[in-house]
Amino acid sequence: SVEFTTQANGDDGRFLPYLRNPETMARPWAIPGTPGLEHRIGGLEKADKTGDISYDPANHEHMVRTRAARIEAIEVPDVEVEDADENARVLVLGWGSTYGPIGAACRALRQRGLPIAQAHLRHLAPLPANLGEVLAAYDKVVIPEMNLGQLAHVIRAKYLVDAVPFNQVSGLPFTAATLESMLEDVVKNG
């Protein structure tokens, strides 16, 4: 829930719409039109604290870094490894619409005695804090995506994991059978 501010927050009695909470990095929200709390909104860069339009390069860098820190400060739940097999050396990491087919393929492989684990991301920005630790626990990480492998690129860059992308850009969803066949090959042949 949002607690809207009702009073000016500056030392001089002025409303500072970009004065951030040091813990959450969140800005105060005022209901538009509240007397004394008027401020600018829009796509132009704003000055830190005051919210005035700014063309200053140093302020722009500061605000870009501040926005990035605000996103990283968001607490998201840890990623959980689903149906983990203590002998699994392969982790299938998914996100979005790949959840169903990945789950079905991994269950089918485990029923056939092949050790494989799966995890599904529900938050991409920021990524879960424990993701690096989870990825490091496996020899291979396979990332099926319905795109050109954007998540695989992020995982490789951020965690230095040689993630194996499996991309499909046909506009059709993965089938469990397609994933099962590909994952079986990865588990058996590394």
Side-chain angles (χ1 to χ4, degrees):
S1 63
V2 175
E3 290 186 30
F4 291 102
T5 189
T6 57
Q7 300 177 34
N9 56 357
D11 292 336
D12 59 359
R14 184 174 172 196
F15 178 53
L16 302 175
Y18 283 75
L19 183 64
R20 294 178 182 269
N21 177 315
E23 290 180 26
T24 65
M25 302 293 292
R27 297 184 300 128
W29 283 15
I31 295 174
T34 302
L37 304 183
E38 298 90 353
H39 60 285
R40 290 177 183 88
I41 58 172
L44 296 176
E45 185 65 271
K46 307 297 186 295
D48 189 30
K49 297 182 185 67
T50 66
D52 295 338
I53 293 172
S54 173
Y55 297 101
D56 176 50
N59 178 74
H60 178 64
E61 180 177 356
H62 172 75
M63 296 303 283
V64 167
R65 292 182 185 281
T66 298
R67 287 188 288 270
R70 168 71 174 111
I71 297 299
E72 287 302 315
I74 297 170
E75 290 187 32
V76 300
D78 283 347
V79 66
E80 295 180 21
V81 178
E82 299 176 21
D83 302 316
D85 181 322
E86 59 193 41
N87 299 316
R89 301 309 322 139
V90 175
L91 172 71
V92 185
L93 181 65
W95 71 280
S97 66
T98 61
Y99 179 75
I102 289 173
C106 288
R107 282 189 302 276
L109 290 171
R110 280 192 292 274
Q111 287 172 355
R112 292 174 32 217
L114 295 173
I116 192 164
Q118 73 181 89
H120 200 76
L121 295 174
R122 286 169 172 68
H123 301 89
L124 297 176
L127 289 163
N130 72 329
L131 183 57
E133 180 183 324
V134 168
L135 297 172
Y138 295 90
D139 296 337
K140 288 267 186 207
V141 176
V142 180
I143 305 178
E145 292 186 78
M146 301 291 299
N147 57 39
L148 294 175
Q150 286 90 328
L151 179 61
H153 290 293
V154 169
I155 296 299
R156 285 176 169 209
K158 185 167 177 122
Y159 300 103
L160 302 178
V161 170
D162 188 19
V164 178
F166 186 66
N167 307 324
Q168 181 170 302
V169 229
S170 63
L172 299 173
F174 282 114
T175 65
T178 299
L179 289 177
E180 183 180 348
S181 174
M182 183 274 300
L183 293 171
E184 179 179 7
D185 184 55
V186 173
V187 171
K188 288 182 174 178
N189 302 316

